[in-house]
Amino acid sequence: MIRWRDGLTQVRRYPSAVAGLLIIAILIATAIYAVTAIPYSEAQKLWRGGDAWQDLPVNASPAWTDRLLGGDAPRTITVSSEDAPTERQDLGAARLETTTLEVDFPYDGFPSEINLFLEAEFEQGQPFTRVHWRTPDGEEIPIDARRVGERERFSISQDRQLESRLGRAPQVGLFTDAEPGTPDPTVRTGTYELVIETVHFEESARLHAELVVYGQVHGAFGTDHQRRDLAVALLWGTPVALAFGLLAAVGTTVTTLIIAATGVWYGGWVDATIQRLTEVNIILPLLPILVMIGTLYSTSIWLMLGVVVVLGIFSAGIKMYRSMLLPIREAPYIEAARAYGAGGGRIILRYMVPRILPVLIPTFVTLIPTYVFLEASLAVLGLGDPVLPTWGKVLHDAQAQSALYHGFYYWVLSPAALLMLTGLGFAMLGFALDRIFNPRLRNL
């Protein structure tokens, strides 16, 4: 049998193993980047949604897919009053401020949505605001007029009165010169202006405005139904998946091997007890037990990891390791160790376990993606950790929102591709290690 250190040096002779190591190295680098660039607490906060994503479009495809197909779908345009010209006029007891937000729109497609966010600073008198839209040829379209509170959101694209006046959805009617009722209107490119006229009743009153003209594409991975950038979940899903798979594989394989060696060495009732526990545990269905725990108790990923390790200790691997360790127990060097007074623990850990490590290494490597898929399966079933962004959670949200039915293929393909890539990398390395450490497989 090849020593495990010598076997690892032969990995470079197998192109599949080198490719698998390269994939694993990329995944590890991605995991390190994720935890460094986006701290754990920030990732949790971002994944909860809310105002952090208010400037992103809903269900936007990745930008590169549009470029790849030769399209020119609009990107999101954000304009702030901090960078816009403002005119002030004294009205005696009040003050009129006119802010003009310019939108340079060069795209061939219409925006997906238009929102205006206002934040007012005042003590008692609420400012009064009138908003109108100015097209490149100077036509003015009134939008709304109202008193503004501390935080206001003008959902221009959902304004039913404006839609009735324009004869079509506002995000289309404001960017076209086609007559109402004209089928297939075309986009009119150019510079548009949103003019905000605000009457302040206090000297210290201020108004901050932000206009967001949402595009149809965004970033490298797109967005979901809550405007969340899927890059956060796909990046953070990498360390979560690798940590879950690695800890579960280490916890089950190492513990199983030591327990099997203990039973072989001491024999008698110790070995019989281990074998009976193994036989009972083998028939227990792992996934239904995890589903039951997640439904009735908790979906914490660390609790699930603990249950997986506990149920994986007395697995069928114990019987395989036992059959390999039985002849080792009768080996001459074991008798020599007993003769010079080595204890049971030293013989198990120093002489018996290392002899079958070459078999353990390929099994350990191929077990990691098994547990990665298990965690993703639990999340797809709705039993994923509610506070962690993972690949399985992305797939669950896509399924809940009927992503494939609505044509949001990127929502499903990105996490699925990462799961398959993880499985491929570890499988290629594990199968190559199996051929290295098991000479009988080399000629197959």
Side-chain angles (χ1 to χ4, degrees):
M1 184 177 293
I2 297 179
R3 292 172 59 86
W4 66 273
R5 292 186 180 88
D6 297 333
L8 291 178
T9 62
Q10 300 181 26
V11 167
R12 59 178 177 270
R13 296 171 50 190
Y14 292 84
S16 61
V18 175
L21 280 173
L22 179 60
I23 293 174
I24 295 171
I26 293 174
L27 292 172
I28 293 175
T30 303
I32 294 173
Y33 171 78
V35 298
T36 303
I38 310 174
Y40 179 73
S41 58
E42 183 178 351
Q44 288 182 323
K45 181 180 178 181
L46 289 173
W47 196 242
R48 293 192 189 102
D51 293 342
W53 304 113
Q54 69 178 11
D55 292 348
L56 299 188
V58 176
N59 293 331
S61 303
W64 63 267
T65 59
D66 177 66
R67 293 298 188 190
L68 188 64
L69 298 175
D72 190 26
R75 273 63 171 168
T76 299
I77 300 173
T78 302
V79 186
S80 173
S81 60
E82 300 294 333
D83 305 318
T86 301
E87 297 179 0
R88 295 175 175 83
Q89 181 180 354
D90 188 7
L91 302 178
R95 182 179 79 254
L96 174 64
E97 289 187 354
T98 303
T99 303
T100 304
L101 305 180
E102 293 187 354
V103 179
D104 186 16
F105 197 81
Y107 303 109
D108 295 336
F110 291 101
S112 61
E113 192 179 357
I114 307 173
N115 282 333
L116 176 63
F117 300 94
L118 300 177
E119 293 185 7
E121 298 179 9
F122 58 91
E123 294 182 0
Q124 294 180 351
Q126 285 182 286
F128 180 83
T129 299
R130 186 168 70 93
V131 181
H132 59 271
W133 183 259
R134 186 178 296 157
T135 63
D137 59 3
E139 178 187 359
E140 292 196 1
I141 303 172
I143 300 293
D144 201 349
R146 67 173 75 173
R147 285 190 176 274
V148 180
E150 292 183 356
R151 294 176 65 89
E152 295 282 347
R153 171 179 173 177
F154 283 62
S155 298
I156 298 175
S157 53
Q158 298 179 12
D159 190 329
R160 294 293 173 254
Q161 294 183 356
L162 179 60
E163 181 177 356
S164 178
R165 284 188 279 119
L166 295 174
R168 49 175 55 94
Q171 66 268 27
V172 176
L174 295 177
F175 286 89
T176 184
D177 55 0
E179 295 294 328
T182 303
D184 300 326
T186 57
V187 177
R188 176 171 53 180
T189 59
T191 301
Y192 294 83
E193 295 178 349
L194 184 76
V195 182
I196 305 173
E197 297 177 309
T198 307
V199 178
H200 294 288
F201 301 98
E202 300 172 355
E203 183 64 29
S204 60
R206 296 289 184 272
L207 181 71
H208 172 74
E210 183 180 80
L211 174 66
V212 183
V213 180
Y214 297 90
Q216 297 178 8
V217 295
H218 175 78
F221 299 100
T223 62
D224 64 5
H225 62 298
Q226 297 185 32
R227 305 183 188 275
R228 298 176 297 190
D229 192 338
L230 292 179
V232 173
L234 296 178
L235 284 174
W236 249 97
T238 307
V240 172
L242 293 181
F244 189 93
L246 181 63
L247 292 175
V250 169
T252 55
T253 54
V254 174
T255 309
T256 297
L257 178 56
I258 293 176
I259 290 176
T262 301
V264 168
W265 177 250
Y266 289 104
W269 68 268
V270 175
D271 187 37
T273 302
I274 293 174
Q275 296 307 310
R276 299 297 83 76
L277 290 174
T278 301
E279 291 162 1
V280 171
N281 187 66
I282 287 175
I283 65 173
L284 295 178
L286 176 61
L287 186 58
I289 291 176
L290 293 175
V291 171
M292 182 179 65
I293 293 174
T295 303
L296 301 178
Y297 185 64
S298 172
T299 57
S300 169
I301 191 172
W302 308 118
L303 174 64
M304 294 295 183
L305 176 61
V307 174
V308 167
V309 172
V310 169
L311 294 180
I313 290 176
F314 292 94
S315 64
I318 283 185
K319 292 189 174 294
M320 179 184 69
Y321 297 144
R322 181 176 183 272
S323 64
M324 298 174 64
L325 289 166
L326 282 173
I328 294 176
R329 185 184 62 178
E330 308 300 331
Y333 67 89
I334 298 295
E335 293 296 330
R338 295 179 63 182
Y340 74 72
R346 177 176 176 81
I347 291 176
I348 291 172
L349 298 177
R350 181 67 180 83
Y351 299 105
M352 296 180 67
V353 170
R355 291 292 295 174
I356 62 171
L357 275 180
V359 177
L360 176 65
I361 292 174
T363 303
F364 166 75
V365 172
T366 53
L367 266 180
I368 294 177
T370 301
Y371 292 115
V372 171
F373 295 149
L374 176 62
E375 186 277 328
S377 301
L378 292 172
V380 170
L381 293 174
L383 300 174
D385 195 312
V387 300
L388 278 179
T390 64
W391 299 337
K393 290 290 289 298
V394 175
L395 288 172
H396 174 263
D397 290 343
Q399 180 187 25
Q401 298 298 317
S402 303
L404 292 179
Y405 176 78
H406 292 101
F408 306 136
Y409 300 104
Y410 67 91
W411 200 347
V412 177
L413 293 179
S414 297
L418 288 172
L419 283 168
M420 290 188 292
L421 190 66
T422 302
L424 177 64
F426 283 100
M428 293 173 70
L429 177 60
F431 293 155
L433 291 175
D434 208 7
R435 293 171 67 87
I436 291 172
F437 290 115
N438 191 345
R440 290 174 298 178
L441 295 177
R442 294 180 184 175
N443 297 324
L444 295 180

